[in-house]
Amino acid sequence: MRSTPERGTAAGGRTPGAGAEPGGKWWPLVAIALGNFLLLVDVTIVNTALPRIADGLGATLTSLQWVLDIYALALAALLMVAGSAADLFGRRRLYVAGLTLFALASLVCGLAPDAGVLVAARAAQGAGAAAMVATNAPLLMAAYQGRDRGVAFGVWGGTNGAAAAIGPVLGGLLTEYVDWRAIFLVNLPLAAVAVWITVRRVPESHGTLSRPRTDSAGKAPLARIDWPGAASFTACAGALTYGLMRGGDQGWTEAGTLTVLGGAALALLVFVVVERRVQRPLLDLGLLRRPSFAALLAAALLLQAAAFPYLTFVGLWVQNILGLSPVQAGLAVTPMALMSLLVGALGGRLLQRMAPQLPVGIGLLLVGAGVLLEYALLDDGAGWAALLPGLAISGLGIGAAMPVLVSAALGAAPPQRAGMASGAVNTSQQLGYAVGIAALGTVFADALHDVRPGASRTAIAAAHVSGLTDILLISGTVALAGGVLVLAVVRRGARGDGDDGDRAAARAAATPARAGAPGGA
């Protein structure tokens, strides 16, 4: 869906005077890439700080899970709603609002007196991030045309890989040499710069849903957003995640656990009913009747659930048991990000020319193989180096699958549903991470529950390794299953009819979820 520049802007969607100085036309790219880098770094930066957060706030393992999970849940739940709101009220306006909310929430995170406040502030961060993710690509498309658009999306996509690689190390540096609170407070000046540039240099744009005040039925803009669908989807995702965590902590047959999981099932049923009846649904359920699209949607969820959540528990193991510093812990998981970035940089064009089931399916198989190699090499006497070969192989798979995933889904959906298809896949990725953290966290917590109070350090270390190997086995198996599903079901390519910039935009829609996957180092 092409954006319409706001009245009063120059032709081509640029603000007057944007090109009056050398390099002036690239200010919108700077503003959007900076904001995108911020929200993605803030995801990966948290992992290496978790042990210090636990010590500083007295947080339990469940609280740490929520510190990570609530961000992804808020992002997943609000992403499609944010896209609709941006089309209605203006993308630049929503992007600035998202940046502002993200910065204010970061301030609260940095000053949080306890785990409850930190979790609540992380939810607000996720809401701000949803507004930013939903508007990034459309704003770039409105600001640039032709070859400039291709360059802009190429640079913007590169910031995603950089964020994934830098995040864990930067988090380690700030945590070790300043304080864990600095990983949130560092967002404030950078967000301020991004807001300032955006207000001055980024042109406003609206989508096809935009109306002056009311639609043909006399409804105000807010009434044209699928609020019942958004509410039921949010309730389903939140209840499912909470139910998984509660089940691991309280037991799967406990009355509260069964009630929460039953509520998740009921909310899902309500969502399906609502989406079948409303005029403008968040998700056209007819898309799920297309086997290729449905398989790619499932692949997005499975890839995100398998490739990244287990790294959270790897970080706890290497710091709490092996004694690595936060900086060393960040460096230990960077091979995955570096290999992913290398594959995307060197093989991006080739990957886009292939039938999409090949890079996505084979990429998932590589992720599974890498994680299972970590499982095979990890034992009670292993050190952090045992993870390196598997992390590198998984990084190859991520680099192959992620850049193609959304553009493949767009190719499997009708052109008039391209925006909806992109939002659905990005939402599925974030939901996959949130569910993955919750599910794997129950497995890890179960292993630690077997350790008696006062147990020796050897027994505690063995429990960590036991929980981690169980997690690796599950993650690797899930990735392999996703790869087989894609290779068996996805048949059609994802070739668009647009120019290079349009195709770059479609490919770039995949990148927020890649580097921005919480824990996607």
Side-chain angles (χ1 to χ4, degrees):
M1 179 174 61
R2 291 183 182 274
S3 306
T4 303
E6 185 185 49
R7 293 176 184 176
T9 59
R14 292 181 190 152
T15 52
E21 59 185 83
K25 68 178 179 180
W26 299 115
W27 280 115
L29 172 60
V30 172
I32 295 166
L34 178 58
N36 197 50
F37 182 83
L38 260 182
L39 73 93
L40 298 182
V41 163
D42 198 74
V43 173
T44 58
I45 208 173
V46 174
N47 279 353
T48 49
L50 287 178
R52 298 290 178 89
I53 292 174
D55 292 339
L57 300 181
T60 64
L61 177 60
T62 300
S63 297
L64 294 180
Q65 287 178 260
W66 276 116
V67 169
L68 297 173
D69 242 0
I70 198 67
Y71 182 96
L73 271 177
L75 178 51
L78 298 176
L79 184 56
M80 290 187 285
V81 174
S84 298
D87 286 347
L88 286 167
F89 302 109
R91 290 156 179 163
R92 182 183 67 176
R93 181 179 300 172
L94 194 69
Y95 180 67
V96 170
L99 268 169
T100 303
L101 177 58
F102 186 85
L104 293 175
S106 296
L107 175 61
V108 177
C109 286
L111 301 177
D114 55 52
V117 173
L118 179 58
V119 170
R122 286 284 287 170
Q125 273 192 318
M132 295 159 70
V133 170
T135 52
N136 275 340
L139 282 173
L140 284 181
M141 291 188 71
Y144 300 104
Q145 305 294 328
R147 183 174 296 178
D148 285 351
R149 182 180 291 175
V151 172
F153 273 105
V155 173
W156 179 63
T159 66
N160 298 319
I166 292 172
V169 179
L170 180 60
L173 288 169
L174 291 173
T175 300
E176 187 169 348
Y177 295 109
V178 186
D179 188 79
W180 66 263
R181 298 178 185 275
I183 68 174
F184 299 111
L185 298 178
V186 73
N187 294 334
L188 300 179
L190 298 178
V193 171
V195 168
W196 185 79
I197 298 175
T198 301
V199 171
R200 292 179 57 87
R201 294 291 186 172
V202 178
E204 182 60 282
S205 68
H206 295 80
T208 56
L209 294 179
S210 180
R211 299 289 189 275
R213 291 188 182 274
T214 62
D215 62 14
S216 59
K219 292 183 178 181
L222 281 174
R224 296 197 300 274
I225 296 177
D226 179 15
W227 294 113
S232 54
F233 177 79
T234 302
C236 176
L240 175 61
T241 303
Y242 176 62
L244 290 172
M245 290 186 184
R246 186 183 178 98
D249 187 45
Q250 302 292 329
W252 297 104
T253 58
E254 189 257 343
T257 300
L258 295 177
T259 300
V260 172
L261 292 178
L266 179 61
L268 177 60
L269 177 61
V270 171
F271 177 73
V272 171
V273 171
V274 167
E275 298 308 278
R276 290 173 63 91
R277 293 178 179 273
V278 297
Q279 184 178 3
R280 295 187 179 93
L282 285 179
L283 177 64
D284 181 355
L285 299 180
L287 289 172
L288 300 181
R289 292 194 290 269
R290 294 171 171 259
S292 291
F293 180 81
L296 289 166
L297 201 64
L301 188 147
L302 295 176
L303 176 58
Q304 204 74 4
F308 302 118
Y310 79 90
L311 294 177
T312 299
F313 307 101
V314 167
L316 295 176
W317 172 64
V318 297
Q319 290 192 63
N320 292 339
I321 302 303
L322 300 186
L324 269 63
S325 69
V327 174
Q328 292 170 327
L331 290 172
V333 297
T334 53
M336 176 186 284
L338 294 177
M339 291 304 297
S340 174
L341 185 60
L342 186 63
V343 171
L346 298 182
R349 288 183 178 273
L350 176 62
L351 292 172
Q352 292 296 329
R353 293 192 182 102
M354 297 172 65
Q357 67 268 28
L358 295 180
V360 177
I362 294 174
L364 272 160
L365 294 180
L366 285 171
V367 170
V371 175
L372 290 178
L373 179 59
E374 294 174 53
Y375 164 76
L377 295 178
L378 187 63
D379 56 37
D380 290 345
W384 63 271
L387 303 174
L388 296 184
L391 287 171
I393 294 173
S394 292
L396 290 175
I398 293 168
M402 282 294 191
V404 181
L405 192 53
V406 169
S407 58
L410 294 179
Q416 66 271 24
R417 289 287 186 264
M420 182 181 289
S422 174
V425 174
N426 280 319
T427 297
S428 184
Q429 288 178 314
Q430 297 300 330
L431 184 60
Y433 176 80
V435 172
I437 282 285
L440 297 181
T442 64
V443 176
F444 192 73
D446 186 62
L448 296 187
H449 283 163
D450 293 336
V451 180
R452 296 178 179 179
S456 66
R457 183 170 181 81
T458 301
I460 296 174
H464 275 73
V465 171
S466 175
L468 197 53
T469 52
D470 289 344
I471 285 173
L472 292 171
L473 180 60
I474 293 170
S475 298
T477 303
V478 166
L480 291 181
V484 172
L485 175 67
V486 169
L487 293 175
V489 176
V490 178
R491 295 300 180 193
R492 292 196 291 178
R495 301 294 182 266
D497 296 326
D499 61 19
D500 289 342
D502 293 330
R503 288 194 291 271
R507 292 194 298 271
T511 52
R514 173 185 63 178

